[in-house]
Amino acid sequence: MSPKKGKRSGSSKMKSKKSQSPTPQGKTGHPEDIFPLTLTSATQNLFGCQIDEDVTAQSPYKLLKKDDIMQDIKTRAAVSDFSPAKQIVLDYPEEEILLVFDSEFTFGQSFYLVLSPEAKNRILKLPETETPEVLENEVDTARKPKQWVSLGSEKEIEEESVKEREPLVFTFSRKRRFFGLPVSFSDNITPISQGFPSYEDNRRFIPAMLTDCGTQAVPKVQSSTAQTNWLGKRNNSTHYEPRDLSEEEKEVILQSDSMKEFLRGVTPRMLHALQQEEIFNLFTDDLKDLGADVEDDNEPDLSKGLELFKTFTDPSKGKKISSVNWHPSINGVIAVALKMQREEESDSEEDLSLTDPKFIAFYSFADLSKPQDLRKEQTPEVLYSAASEIESSHKAAVTDVQWLPPTFEVTRTGLPVENTSKLCVQVITCSPDCTIMFWDVRLPKQAGLSLFQRPDQNTPMTRYIVPKTFKHLDRTWKPLFKVSFQKMDGSGVYAPLKLSFEPYPGNAEAAGSWSAEDFLDYSQLRIPSAKELKTLEDVNTKIFIGTEEGEVVYTDWKLEKDEFGLVHCPKPLFSFSTHDFMVYAVQRSPFFKDIVLTVGTWNFAIWKEGVMEGPLHVSKFSVENCTAGCWSLTRPAVFFIGKDDGSMEVWDLLENTNGPSQVHPGIISGTIICIKPWIVSSKQHFLAVTNDHRVVRILEISKSLRTPTSNESSRMEEHFEWETKYVKEFDRRKKVWAKEKEEQELKKETKPAKPVLTPAEQEELDKKEYGEFLKLEESILKGLGLWPKPDHSDKKN
Amino acid sequence: MKVDVEGTLKRIESYKGVIGTIVVNAEGIPIRSTLDNSTTVQYAGLLRHLAAMARSSVRDIDPQNDLTVLRIHSKKYEIMVAPENNYLLIVIQNPCE
């Protein structure tokens, strides 16, 4: 910079010298290489060097071509401004001549030409050097550098910079003996062994409040062993089996004398003990044996027998009760069949009625007075829904109707066969028109289309909805077959009033599974042909019949074939006229299948099936008529007899066979028509008693009458067996007596008169006998070892 | 009296109500039995000690006395044990009803 400055100052001096130098020379003359001239504006235009346009004070230089100037001179000859400089231009070696504007008129003219190229170069150089000079001057004047503010950097520089400093002085002393010896200095390169102490990082970390930390629990297990002295040896477990002797040893022992001795001593004792055990039970609890049931022994039995529970009366007049029956499933509901007062009797079971009772009313315990019309809701059908064909049905009133149990059914010839459908499909009816009819609810196979096509236009308008279950049978129902029984002595036909057959239990699953909901479409059932069904051999086809005239007939209903091959009704097996008038009830005992109770007008009888000789027991003739009877449901020895005057007798055969054990007079007014027992619960047993004046009375059976005594069933059985034996024996005796009588009568006629003994002869005879007796006595007593006898009176052995 | 061992034992075994009979020797080994082996062994083992204890009790009270029959009447049946002469006769009987 500084040399440049120097140069610049030099050049500027030179320039000022130059500028000054021509001036003084201009006055006097101009330097050699400068030729001043004036240029007119036209020339200026031509050459492009107009003042203040192309050429200014700042840029006064203009290079003109020599040829152009020559040209101009030629064209304008004398007019051209360059004419004075013609020669100079011609002599000019270079192509271009420098024209300089001279604003200060330094050479007297506005322009001047630079004649020599050296001067040109010189001048041209000057402006080149002048311009940076000018610029620098301008820079110097335009921008002033700022004052340097110390920010501390010079300290760092000072620190970092390597300066020479005064030498370090280090004094040390040596041992005296080493004084003067040369010293050797060396560098000690010490390793940098300074540690880097840790310091707390003062950066703020987020403190961890929660850290997942895993733990494992490890049981402290320590295994160690020890050895002990086993002082007292003991078996922890032993395997053992009982000692046994071999067979030979056992034999030997058994035959040994000691065994014999042993048995000799032991046997009588043991036998004695065994016998004692067998005879007498040392530990009987008499009190316990007395009481039959444990539950309510403390209940005082106040009522003697029957107690009035409820009374139902039908308010409407003119009706008679014909039968009564308990509802099998609903507790406390009785169906009462009412009929108009007519002469003929009619009877009805609960489910189906064949003749025409008028109404069936239901009484329930809830409402005493009014009969309820429950049938619409609960029972499937009440009113008759099929009537049998008039021609083929009974001519007289039907007195007994019973369903055959669903376990077997009967074919056209009376053979019992298996019932494939598990329903009650057959009905037996009997009537005083001397026939027993079997009806089948199903249609016969050869029903044909005619039945279905028959229109039922004549269906009478009924006030009640008649269910269509048995519609298929309506008015075309014919009995399956009929039986009528000839009297044994050939004097007519029996007129049965009631019948009873043995219920055949059959298969366990068949019986008892019939419920009201199972009402199938009966119209679809058909009577199967007899061949298809399996004959049941063990069904008891014999029935007891109570007739109008008081006979009890025991007969078979199977139609028999006699020697001609014709089928006819069998002969009854026995018949007894025990009762003298109508038989009102024939009922089997619910406990014994072969014991039948028949109630006649003035007495009743108990029969056993198979005993042909007669009834087991006939009661005395009673004053009033017996009109109804039924067995008790819980006590095998008890039955109830209803009388004409409305009183009821309770008979207990084990207690008293001669008379009723209890008489309840005035149970009901009027004649007892029907007695039906029912068990509601184990504490409530009822007896429904109806009379003929539309009153139904429910009686509660007291505890004494409903709980059987101990072993009552077996005792009753024994009693019946005894009776049977007695009857048989009596019968046999009767025959024997009859025979004897005959013989005696015969003898009487043929035999001579027996000699009459005189008294003296008689006495002699007696003495003889007495003597014989004494001898006999003596011999006997001697044999017994009681001879000589002390006295006559102690002759008892 | 001549004692027929077989006959006597048969008599006892066929008495009314008898379920089983066991003859046990002095060491408690069953000689003869109508029951199966395990039951026999059980009865013999258990009743041996009981009979011995009963006998000793009776004799403790009165040394002149001796046990004739030990009867155990249980709910189901009765067990009778008769000791004699180092042997033991055990009879199990069903009582009358």
Side-chain angles (χ1 to χ4, degrees), chain A residues 242-243 245 250 253-254 258-259 261-262 264 266-267 269-271 273-278 281 283, chain B residues 1 3 8 11 15-16 29-31 41 68 71 73 78 80 84-85 87 89 93 95-97:
Chain A
R243 271 190 304 174
L245 298 171
K250 282 188 188 167
I253 292 179
L254 276 174
S258 56
M259 175 58 70
E261 282 298 317
F262 159 67
R264 187 178 296 147
V266 150
T267 310
R269 283 186 254 151
M270 192 52 86
L271 286 174
L274 286 170
Q275 196 183 37
Q276 273 189 347
E277 248 343 278
E278 189 195 346
N281 183 10
F283 302 102
Chain B
M1 259 193 315
V3 176
T8 314
R11 248 174 85 201
Y15 204 85
K16 181 179 173 202
I29 306 171
I31 308 285
V41 159
T68 50
R71 281 211 245 173
H73 187 99
E78 170 137 340
M80 285 166 275
E84 172 83 28
N85 208 13
Y87 290 97
L89 175 67
Q93 186 197 24
C96 47
E97 59 299 297

Side-chain angles (χ1 to χ4, degrees), chain B residues 39-57:
Chain B
T39 321
T40 305
V41 159
Q42 201 175 17
Y43 270 106
L46 293 168
L47 289 169
R48 206 175 121 231
H49 298 294
L50 192 62
M53 206 176 282
R55 188 155 183 253
S56 71
S57 313

Side-chain angles (χ1 to χ4, degrees), chain A residues 33-158:
Chain A
D33 44 3
I34 300 293
F35 186 76
L37 52 92
T38 358
L39 296 172
T40 57
S41 53
T43 318
Q44 285 172 20
N45 283 337
L46 273 170
F47 286 95
C49 54
Q50 280 189 340
I51 299 171
D52 294 328
E53 280 182 25
D54 305 315
V55 182
T56 56
Q58 277 85 21
S59 58
Y61 304 103
K62 183 83 182 161
L63 283 171
L64 297 174
K65 290 207 168 137
K66 182 185 159 182
D67 293 327
D68 290 333
I69 295 171
M70 291 311 290
Q71 191 85 27
D72 185 50
I73 293 171
K74 283 175 187 167
T75 45
R76 298 202 295 166
V79 184
S80 169
D81 299 315
F82 290 103
S83 54
K86 184 178 164 193
Q87 193 62 47
I88 300 160
V89 172
L90 281 171
D91 295 331
Y92 195 75
E94 280 187 7
E95 284 286 322
E96 293 181 337
I97 292 181
L98 181 63
L99 177 73
V100 180
F101 171 62
D102 190 7
S103 62
E104 288 164 13
F105 289 89
T106 50
F107 298 120
Q109 306 288 350
S110 59
F111 288 91
Y112 63 87
L113 274 173
V114 176
L115 298 170
S116 66
E118 296 93 11
K120 185 184 95 179
N121 293 335
R122 201 174 58 221
I123 288 166
L124 280 177
K125 272 185 193 171
L126 280 174
E128 289 174 18
T129 56
E130 262 184 24
T131 46
E133 185 193 52
V134 169
L135 285 172
E136 278 173 7
N137 284 339
E138 285 174 0
V139 167
D140 281 340
T141 52
R143 240 177 43 162
K144 239 190 172 184
K146 277 201 250 178
Q147 284 292 325
W148 177 65
V149 175
S150 162
L151 289 171
S153 54
E154 74 264 25
K155 282 185 203 158
E156 285 179 20
I157 295 169
E158 259 187 68

Side-chain angles (χ1 to χ4, degrees), chain A residues 276-299:
Chain A
Q276 273 189 347
E277 248 343 278
E278 189 195 346
I279 297 168
F280 177 65
N281 183 10
L282 196 59
F283 302 102
T284 48
D285 188 355
D286 292 321
L287 290 175
K288 193 171 169 202
D289 284 343
L290 273 180
D293 57 334
V294 193
E295 342 149 17
D296 40 11
D297 272 326
N298 44 5
E299 240 185 55

